[in-house]
Every structure is written in structure tokens, then in C-alpha cells.
Amino acid sequence: MVDISVALGQMDTVWRSPKENLSKLETICENISGKAQLLVLPEMWNTGFCTNVDFIDKDWYQFTLDAMKDFSTKFQIAIVGSMPAFDNGFWYNRMVCVYGGSLVHVYDKIHLFQLAGESQNFTAGESNIVFTLFGISVRILVCYDLRFPYLTCNAETPEIIIYCANWPSVRIAQWATLIRARAVENQAFVIGVNRVGQDGSGYNYNGCSQAVSFAGQNLVTLDDKEATVLVDLNMSSLLEYRAKFPFLLDRKF
């Protein structure tokens, strides 16, 4: 199994401005091209965590997705992140993975954040499956999903679990704890990418995006500034660890 270099793209997302956020994405891609195989972005990275769909253009999703596909080809990198998406009459918080100009995988956020009104305007997803990227099994999830371990503690055991988030600074200690817990209980690399700055609803975010190993070891943690950091994931070490400590075989569900 090949190793993979992952870029954590911690952004100060511009409120409801896909064009400005795409400009930021292009700069990130230019800087990491040839250095990373996968770039992870925050939740709703193209608009900010706007839960009032009256202020979201229905065309923004496709416009942004097309640009992501173009960047994935131009810079030869897979890109993962979530966006508001209008599909068949319903709004979804949709996390996508694109690579080589194609849409590789789609995940619609299952747990909508009731406290911020997300569940009032968005529809919850129903499917949560593992997919393969560069020969590595991956599961992608969104922010509030991190609080619900049953999404990952099941028969499917991906090598990498990815969370994109708009996780506010007032609860950032829980973010760090839960990421480490998901890594240990699944014996998987866990990548969590959060935003920084203040959004249009007045929520403050202090980043703390991080990568944690299958054994719960911190590989990298960002501070509260906009930044992109690369981390190399040694997949052979993960397989060796699982073989040495085959805890996953004892799962009942």
C-alpha cells in the first residue's frame, strides 16, 4: 500500500462568496501542487456555515464543483470539502471528493446541527459508505457527525477518516478529544479540518485542524491562523499496527 501526503487547508472562509473562496483554493492548490496527493477543506468552505438557504444561490454548488474538478486536473490533486447543494428540490450539506476532473464520491451530512438551524433548512443524508482513493479506503464525514461514533464503528474499517468542519472555538476542546477517540477506536488515521475567523452569523472559529494516527498520536495540529500544512501518512505502519493489535476483529456490529 502506498503512502499518501495530505494537505490540511485551514481557511478563513469568506462569507457567501464562492468566487473569493475559489480564488483562495486556487492559491492553495498552486502552493501544494506536486507535494500532496489530497487536499482537505473545511465544511461549507465556499460559503461559510450559512444555514439560511434564502441567501444561497442554487447555482453556487455546480459552479464551485466544476472549478474544483478543473483544479484537481490542473494541479493533479484530489480535493475534499463540503458545500451547500440544491438537488431535486432539497438542500444538502454535501461533502465531495474530486480527482482527475471527476466526481469520485459524494456524502450528504447525516447529522444536521439543530442548534444553528441547519436541520430546519437542510435535508439529512442517509448513506455513509467507504470508498477507495489511491488504493486507500476512505470515509468522509461532516462536523457534527464527529459526535456520533456509530457512523464509524461498524463493519467497514477505512484506513483514513476525514472530517471537514465549522467547529466553534467555544467547544474546540471537544473537537480535539473526539478526533483522537475516533482514531483510536477505529485504528485509523483521522484528519479533521476546521475553519478560522468569524462567520456572518457571528460565530468564532480558532482552527485547530489536525491529523491523528491510528494509535492516537498527534501528527500535526494547526493554530488559529489561516494556513495549509502537509502531513505524510504511512499506510504500511497502519496495517502492521492492526495486525499486531487486531482489536477490530472483536467488534460485534
Side-chain angles (χ1 to χ4, degrees):
M1 181 178 291
V2 298
D3 295 341
I4 184 172
S5 180
V6 181
L8 284 64
Q10 183 168 280
M11 295 175 59
D12 185 354
T13 307
V14 183
W15 188 244
R16 298 203 300 257
S17 182
K19 289 185 177 180
E20 289 182 89
N21 291 313
L22 278 169
S23 179
K24 289 191 175 196
L25 173 59
E26 185 171 19
T27 298
I28 292 172
C29 289
E30 287 175 345
N31 291 336
I32 64 175
S33 181
K35 301 174 185 177
Q37 288 80 53
L38 171 63
L39 168 63
V40 182
L41 302 171
E43 177 184 21
M44 291 193 183
W45 68 271
N46 66 327
T47 61
F49 191 60
C50 178
T51 60
N52 187 339
V53 296
D54 292 338
F55 295 99
I56 306 174
D57 194 312
K58 293 177 181 178
D59 295 328
W60 283 352
Y61 170 73
Q62 193 61 51
F63 165 76
T64 306
L65 181 62
D66 289 343
M68 291 175 70
K69 290 178 180 179
D70 290 342
F71 292 161
S72 75
T73 299
K74 180 180 179 181
F75 300 108
Q76 298 183 7
I77 188 169
I79 306 172
V80 169
S82 94
M83 301 174 285
F86 188 74
D87 189 359
N88 290 320
F90 298 95
W91 282 98
Y92 298 92
N93 187 339
R94 177 163 292 174
M95 191 171 182
V96 302
C97 175
V98 300
Y99 181 63
S102 298
L103 182 61
V104 176
H105 188 73
V106 170
Y107 164 72
D108 291 329
K109 185 178 182 183
I110 290 177
H111 296 95
L112 302 176
F113 193 52
Q114 186 175 221
L115 291 178
E118 187 180 20
S119 58
Q120 297 172 20
N121 295 306
F122 287 78
T123 298
E126 298 178 350
S127 177
N128 169 37
I129 62 175
V130 171
F131 67 103
T132 300
L133 182 68
F134 306 123
I136 299 167
S137 58
V138 180
R139 189 193 299 276
I140 56 176
L141 296 164
V142 182
C143 201
Y144 193 41
D145 287 331
L146 180 60
R147 289 185 175 272
F148 303 91
Y150 52 76
L151 284 180
T152 55
C153 290
N154 50 48
E156 293 183 300
T157 54
E159 279 95 30
I160 301 176
I161 301 171
I162 297 172
Y163 293 92
C164 66
N166 275 214
W167 198 283
S169 56
V170 293
R171 294 186 293 278
I172 203 64
Q174 297 166 29
W175 159 261
T177 299
L178 292 170
I179 285 180
R180 181 164 293 185
R182 298 295 88 82
V184 171
E185 67 198 8
N186 291 285
Q187 294 183 312
F189 288 109
V190 175
I191 306 292
V193 176
N194 193 26
R195 68 158 292 174
V196 295
Q198 185 179 78
D199 68 17
S201 297
Y203 294 104
N204 294 304
Y205 305 88
N206 61 342
C208 294
S209 300
Q210 57 190 275
V212 177
S213 81
F214 44 82
Q217 298 168 328
N218 183 270
L219 302 177
V220 64
T221 298
L222 281 67
D223 58 17
D224 59 353
K225 304 295 190 300
E226 190 172 50
T228 302
V229 174
L230 275 62
V231 60
D232 294 324
L233 305 184
N234 186 313
M235 306 310 298
S236 296
S237 64
L238 179 149
L239 297 181
E240 292 170 0
Y241 186 85
R242 285 183 172 182
K244 185 176 181 181
F245 303 104
F247 305 138
L248 297 177
L249 297 178
D250 293 326
R251 285 184 173 176
K252 302 300 183 183
F253 304 100

